[in-house]
Amino acid sequence: TPQGRSKKKSRKHQRFMERRALLEQKGLLSRPLGSQAPVVGPEARSTVTKAGGTTAPRSGKVPKPKQVVSSSLSPSASPDNIARHHSVLLSQRNGSSKGVRMSSPLLRPGKYVAIDCEMVGTGPQGRLSELARCSVVNYEGDVIYDKYVQPELPIMDYRTRWSGITKQHMKSAIPFKAAQAEILKILKDKIVVGHAIHNDFQALKYFHPKDRTRDTSQIPVLKQRAGLPIRASVSLKSLARHLLRKKIQDSCKGHSSVEDAQTAMELYRLVEVQWETELARSLPPRPPSPLTDPTTDSNQYMDDRYWPTDLTASSL
């Protein structure tokens, strides 16, 4: 009965009070038990008890998980994901009291490289352009590839005034096929930056995906900043002078493909976030892979409508 339960609780409470008094007499309990803060474990500290015996997190005690942003992009990242990635990085940079630079390890995208190639003249009267040197730099401008390349056809014009290539350089050159394999391995799944980059890809006999190509000669934002006409064809030298206050391609010994690649990457980083955001709006989505596109399934050609009329008539 309820009355019996209250008696049991009363006896239990009396025994408890007797034990407490005994402990106080022996000096094992120096202060009243009611005034001592209860000792709780690490797990119990983060919760408080509600009415009804349920528990809830203690307000202000549980730290909120910090958002971790990847410093690199996956090979399958879409233009939208790329723009979102850069906008988050920019907001982190602007929100930092210490002013984190874009070149810090946290913000460095590892999937970006810049390329520049130097060509020589081969074929009749040296009119055919072939690769003779290729340089690739990373996001920070550090050289990750720089080799002289032996063209497949005999060199008729070294074009030293522009290319900087001489006969002496060809002594240490590697065959074109070997260089091509090495370079394409670097460019795979990368976002590639360059100036009039279609010429470099043509020399490499290679086509890079458009949504992963960043041509600094085609960036309206750069031309606007430089105060140049948007539709005008602007040289790398001119952009470097106007925007970077930097002189390039001034040597009488020809251009440096390393310097040109580094300059292209500098220009890209200057308008990186804004350009990526605009590209995300303008670039169309990637077409579906032929392996997953049902319209290219070879099994459909077994259907009667794809067979010649005379064969279907003779089989009836």
Side-chain angles (χ1 to χ4, degrees):
T1 62
Q3 187 177 3
R5 289 176 186 172
S6 63
K7 288 182 180 179
K8 288 182 181 179
K9 287 182 180 179
S10 178
R11 292 195 203 100
K12 186 175 181 180
H13 180 68
Q14 288 176 1
R15 288 196 299 269
F16 168 74
M17 295 298 291
E18 290 172 359
R19 290 195 191 98
R20 190 178 74 171
L22 181 62
L23 291 173
E24 288 177 356
Q25 289 176 4
K26 292 184 178 182
L28 299 177
L29 192 63
S30 58
R31 62 178 64 183
L33 187 63
S35 64
Q36 187 176 5
V39 179
V40 294
E43 296 178 359
R45 287 179 189 141
S46 62
T47 60
V48 291
T49 305
K50 286 184 175 181
T54 59
T55 59
R58 188 184 297 273
S59 61
K61 297 296 182 182
V62 182
K64 292 182 180 181
K66 295 181 179 179
Q67 184 181 8
V68 179
V69 180
S70 174
S71 61
S72 61
L73 299 171
S74 67
S76 58
S78 66
D80 289 330
N81 290 335
I82 294 168
R84 201 159 30 243
H85 171 81
H86 286 288
S87 64
V88 171
L89 297 183
L90 182 65
S91 64
Q92 287 185 350
R93 181 183 62 168
N94 292 339
S96 174
S97 59
K98 296 183 180 179
V100 180
R101 297 180 302 168
M102 278 298 288
S103 59
S104 68
L106 174 65
L107 306 181
R108 181 176 62 242
K111 288 291 183 181
Y112 284 71
V113 295
I115 189 173
D116 188 75
C117 298
E118 301 297 344
M119 278 74 81
V120 293
T122 64
Q125 300 178 354
R127 292 181 179 178
L128 182 64
S129 293
E130 285 198 58
L131 182 66
R133 183 186 180 185
C134 181
S135 303
V136 183
V137 302
N138 63 12
Y139 185 79
E140 298 291 340
D142 301 322
V143 179
I144 57 178
Y145 189 91
D146 183 31
K147 289 185 181 182
Y148 291 99
V149 182
Q150 182 68 53
E152 294 180 303
L153 297 176
I155 300 175
M156 306 302 294
D157 184 0
Y158 283 92
R159 303 177 184 174
T160 307
R161 179 182 172 185
W162 298 278
S163 69
I165 305 295
T166 64
K167 188 176 182 179
Q168 189 70 20
H169 291 135
M170 290 298 102
K171 292 181 179 180
S172 60
I174 65 173
F176 171 77
K177 290 293 184 183
Q180 184 191 46
E182 293 174 349
I183 297 163
L184 298 193
K185 187 176 180 180
I186 296 172
L187 302 187
K188 184 181 179 182
D189 296 329
K190 298 288 196 306
I191 293 179
V192 185
V193 180
H195 193 84
I197 200 170
H198 60 278
N199 293 323
D200 303 304
F201 291 152
Q202 186 176 2
L204 285 167
K205 300 181 180 179
Y206 168 70
F207 294 97
H208 198 68
K210 184 179 179 181
D211 62 347
R212 291 187 165 267
T213 301
R214 306 290 182 265
D215 191 340
T216 53
S217 70
Q218 303 296 326
I219 312 179
V221 181
L222 281 174
K223 297 176 184 179
Q224 288 173 355
R225 285 201 180 190
L228 301 171
I230 295 178
R231 296 185 180 181
S233 177
V234 184
S235 67
L236 183 66
K237 183 177 181 178
S238 180
L239 288 174
R241 184 176 69 253
H242 283 87
L243 298 175
L244 304 176
R245 301 295 184 263
K246 177 181 177 180
K247 290 184 178 181
I248 63 170
Q249 302 176 354
D250 280 346
S251 174
C252 59
K253 295 182 180 180
H255 300 177
S256 166
S257 52
V258 170
E259 183 181 53
D260 289 353
Q262 290 171 335
T263 302
M265 182 60 82
E266 285 184 68
L267 289 169
Y268 168 75
R269 290 176 59 181
L270 197 63
V271 293
E272 179 178 5
V273 176
Q274 184 178 355
W275 193 18
E276 292 295 342
T277 304
E278 291 181 2
L279 279 177
R281 299 192 190 108
S282 62
L283 282 176
R286 273 191 166 188
S289 170
L291 298 177
T292 59
D293 188 357
T295 60
T296 59
D297 187 2
S298 59
N299 292 333
Q300 67 175 319
Y301 294 108
M302 294 305 294
D303 191 64
D304 288 345
R305 61 197 174 106
Y306 290 103
W307 286 69
T309 309
D310 56 342
L311 288 179
T312 54
S314 61
S315 61
L316 296 176

